[in-house]
Amino acid sequence: MKTVVNLTQQSVLGEIESVLDTYPYHPYQQAFAIPDLRQELIAFVLSRIPCLFYTMSEGFSAAEAEKECLLNYKLPRSPLEQQLHVQNLIHQGIYSIFQEKSDWISHHLCEKVQPGLEPSHWFG
């Protein structure tokens, strides 16, 4: 039995987590915790880079497959250039999605705040 593994998607998901960790919780991390926006960001990045797939035999772990695949596949950029390119695309995606959906994001995030639980109400 063989399994197809999308190595690009796995690496992009990790980079998105890393990049979002550099942004403030509100509104960025909070907004991209919403599944629809997270999927939109993933799609934004994946649509702008080539996908790398690998077919692995039963018994191989994903990490072994990725290592073997990367050893046998010549990428056009160095690993650092690839990582910086993906990170740049993630920043562009965050900016683009926020520009396009700013009203929706503001409305959606404001709905989650309950009056009386905001810090300004704690001190009277």
Side-chain angles (χ1 to χ4, degrees), residues 7-85:
L7 300 176
T8 304
Q9 185 172 357
Q10 291 174 355
S11 103
V12 165
L13 293 175
E15 285 299 327
I16 286 173
E17 288 299 320
S18 295
V19 169
L20 280 174
D21 283 346
T22 67
Y23 282 79
Y25 175 75
H26 181 79
Y28 298 98
Q29 290 181 30
Q30 196 174 15
F32 287 102
I34 299 168
D36 289 343
L37 289 182
R38 175 65 62 106
Q39 276 306 122
E40 194 167 332
L41 180 58
I42 293 166
F44 180 94
V45 176
L46 288 177
S47 69
R48 287 161 175 80
I49 58 175
C51 283
L52 179 57
F53 289 92
Y54 182 75
T55 304
M56 63 182 199
S57 300
E58 191 174 348
F60 263 100
S61 71
E64 291 170 322
E66 184 171 5
K67 181 180 176 185
E68 182 177 323
C69 182
L70 293 177
L71 288 175
N72 295 322
Y73 184 83
K74 301 290 184 211
L75 295 170
R77 298 182 167 128
S78 73
L80 178 59
E81 286 176 318
Q82 291 171 41
Q83 182 181 19
L84 292 174
H85 178 68

Side-chain angles (χ1 to χ4, degrees), residues 4 15 24-25 33 35 53 62-63 75 82 89 98 101 106-107 109 113:
V4 176
E15 285 299 327
Y25 175 75
F53 289 92
L75 295 170
Q82 291 171 41
L89 287 172
F98 256 80
K101 300 187 179 272
S106 295
H107 178 73
L109 294 182
V113 176

Side-chain angles (χ1 to χ4, degrees), residues 92-111:
Q92 288 176 22
I94 290 169
Y95 178 78
S96 174
I97 291 167
F98 256 80
Q99 287 291 103
E100 182 182 318
K101 300 187 179 272
S102 62
D103 290 339
W104 184 89
I105 291 169
S106 295
H107 178 73
H108 191 77
L109 294 182
C110 288
E111 282 182 352

